[in-house]
Amino acid sequence: MPRVRTLAIAVILTLLGAACSGDPTPAGTDADPTTTAANASTPTSIDADPTTTVAIASTPADPEACPDPAEAAAPSGPAVALEEVADDPVVEAAVYPHPDYEGNPWSHWGLGTVLPDGRFLSAIGDHLGPDGNSYLYEYDPASGELTLVTDVLSVVDHESGSWGYGKVHGRIVADDCGIAHLVTYWGTRRGLTYGGTYEGDLLLRWD
């Protein structure tokens, strides 16, 4: 692209059930709705034009139109069990099992979400610019484990050395089908060359 596209996108996440029925790709995207990725994640990229508005869903969900949860891949990344650190009231905690490389720093910038079945999704990022990456985690109260379920660079077409997606810098929102929607953000602007390798950020969907 001839110039840097900033993420001044008005993303309207009115996440009701229409995102679950018919064509699952939000309007204004260029992703193939049949594309699937590891851990049942479906990347959906948008052209980050500052005037772009993305609207998702407008009517209540038809439960019959939701994906079958049994078809989703189980989380397979590193996992840690939460440990009790206080008992009145009970408080449990764990350190995110992030990859073994140095972040700049590792950080958490957005809000997670509780899915209809009680699982909690959250994200951390390495805060890097070139090759920056963000990671999505699932906490399952049934098992008491926090598990890495996927990362952004593994589900998108990324050229090594180009600007990455070092943060999920906003709220993760789930629709009535339990499908989560999240938006990436550059990890840092340090060294960013306008008109260079940063072309905008991504709207992702994870089921």
Side-chain angles (χ1 to χ4, degrees):
M1 293 186 177
R3 62 185 178 87
V4 165
R5 309 288 187 133
T6 60
L7 189 61
I9 308 169
V11 180
I12 305 173
L13 296 178
T14 316
L15 293 173
L16 302 174
C20 313
S21 59
D23 182 356
T25 305
T29 67
D30 56 14
D32 180 350
T34 63
T35 300
T36 57
N39 298 313
S41 304
T42 304
T44 303
S45 62
I46 62 176
D47 179 8
D49 187 307
T51 63
T52 299
T53 298
V54 179
I56 300 177
S58 58
T59 58
D62 173 5
E64 297 299 322
C66 293
D68 183 355
E71 296 179 358
S76 58
V80 294
L82 270 67
E83 298 181 4
E84 187 173 313
V85 295
D87 59 10
D88 187 21
V90 173
V91 177
E92 295 180 316
V95 175
Y96 279 80
H98 61 71
D100 188 19
Y101 68 87
E102 186 175 353
N104 187 40
W106 289 101
S107 60
H108 170 77
W109 281 79
L111 297 175
T113 190
V114 178
L115 300 178
D117 62 6
R119 289 174 297 145
F120 176 70
L121 293 181
S122 59
I124 67 171
D126 54 27
H127 216 114
L128 301 177
D131 299 322
N133 202 1
S134 294
Y135 299 81
L136 185 66
Y137 293 81
E138 172 193 285
Y139 170 67
D140 186 349
S143 66
E145 289 189 335
L146 177 69
T147 305
L148 172 63
V149 295
T150 193
D151 66 280
V152 175
L153 292 189
S154 71
V155 297
V156 300
D157 183 15
H158 177 77
E159 183 177 342
S160 179
S162 62
W163 224 258
Y165 312 99
K167 296 178 188 175
V168 170
H169 204 333
R171 183 170 186 165
I172 300 173
V173 184
D175 62 24
D176 288 349
C177 290
I179 295 175
H181 301 258
L182 58 149
V183 178
T184 65
Y185 192 67
W186 55 29
T188 178
R189 298 197 323 184
R190 295 185 182 92
L192 179 63
T193 301
Y194 288 86
T197 62
Y198 178 76
E199 296 182 346
D201 281 277
L202 305 172
L203 173 64
L204 302 174
R205 181 176 58 231
W206 184 84
D207 64 8

